[in-house]
Amino acid sequence: DRRDAMRETWTKNLKDRDDLKAFFVLGRLEKDHKEKIEKEMEEFGDIVVLECVENQHKGKTILWFEHVYRNTEFDFAVKVDQDVYVWTDELSNHIKALPRENFYGGHGPLYTNRRFWRQDRFAFFNGGFAILSRDLVAEVARVVSIAKEHQTEDSKKNGYVVDTESLRKEHDIDLRGNEDVSLGRIFKPRLLKGT
């Protein structure tokens, strides 16, 4: 129903455009939904199924950016939550003027130090709407590639990408926290360097 609502509103504005494309990103298809989703994929051509179980905050966002990097040609990749309405003409106009490198757009970065991270301030990038230039997407893909080698048996089985102690110790890659925090942690070194 939500996908249909978006197809009837803002994504229908993309049908005849070459500069913007929209996809609904799902985790692995469950047996009881597989036939229905495959039929929907065939009808609309706007669904991407990642090799992870459907999840929130276990790497789906960074796996989406990795997928985009490895499978499409683009200048920018965007992630929006399903309750976001995108003004496609405005987005297209903004994109024309954006720098093609070291660009993040969206809400953030914010420095926070809540809860158990009191001694570890990090940048929090809000995922409700996030747009990344190709080089930043490449950085996410690099991190995912390294992280996949350090996953737990559970995360490997389910296709997740989660933080592990070996990933932090051996590669100085920290994916603790939800996906908005993971993006912030990935880009924190660039932020600290002023890039």
Side-chain angles (χ1 to χ4, degrees), residues 21-47:
K21 302 284 182 218
F23 298 96
F24 300 100
V25 181
L26 307 176
R28 275 185 210 149
L29 301 179
E30 299 294 326
K31 290 179 184 177
D32 54 339
H33 296 107
K34 189 172 184 174
E35 188 176 313
K36 180 183 177 202
I37 297 295
E38 285 175 346
K39 185 177 178 182
E40 187 180 346
M41 290 168 69
E42 191 175 310
E43 181 179 354
F44 295 103
D46 61 0
I47 296 176

Side-chain angles (χ1 to χ4, degrees), residues 142-157:
R142 183 189 74 78
V143 166
V144 168
S145 177
I146 293 168
K148 283 182 176 180
E149 299 171 14
H150 292 268
Q151 294 302 287
T152 65
E153 289 306 313
D154 182 57
S155 62
K156 285 178 185 176
K157 178 180 126 194

Side-chain angles (χ1 to χ4, degrees), residues 31-103:
K31 290 179 184 177
D32 54 339
H33 296 107
K34 189 172 184 174
E35 188 176 313
K36 180 183 177 202
I37 297 295
E38 285 175 346
K39 185 177 178 182
E40 187 180 346
M41 290 168 69
E42 191 175 310
E43 181 179 354
F44 295 103
D46 61 0
I47 296 176
V48 170
V49 178
L50 300 176
E51 284 298 316
C52 64
V53 296
E54 184 63 40
N55 70 85
Q56 181 178 10
H57 303 315
K58 289 191 177 180
K60 186 176 166 192
T61 295
I62 62 176
L63 290 169
W64 160 246
F65 285 125
E66 179 205 30
H67 172 86
V68 171
Y69 182 73
R70 303 218 184 281
N71 295 288
T72 63
E73 292 296 321
F74 65 94
D75 291 325
F76 297 96
V78 177
K79 181 264 184 189
V80 298
D81 287 347
Q82 60 185 329
D83 59 352
V84 172
Y85 186 96
V86 178
W87 297 95
T88 55
D89 288 338
E90 187 174 336
L91 178 59
S92 178
N93 288 334
H94 282 301
I95 284 175
K96 292 173 187 167
L98 298 178
R100 296 302 195 246
E101 292 182 349
N102 286 319
F103 184 82

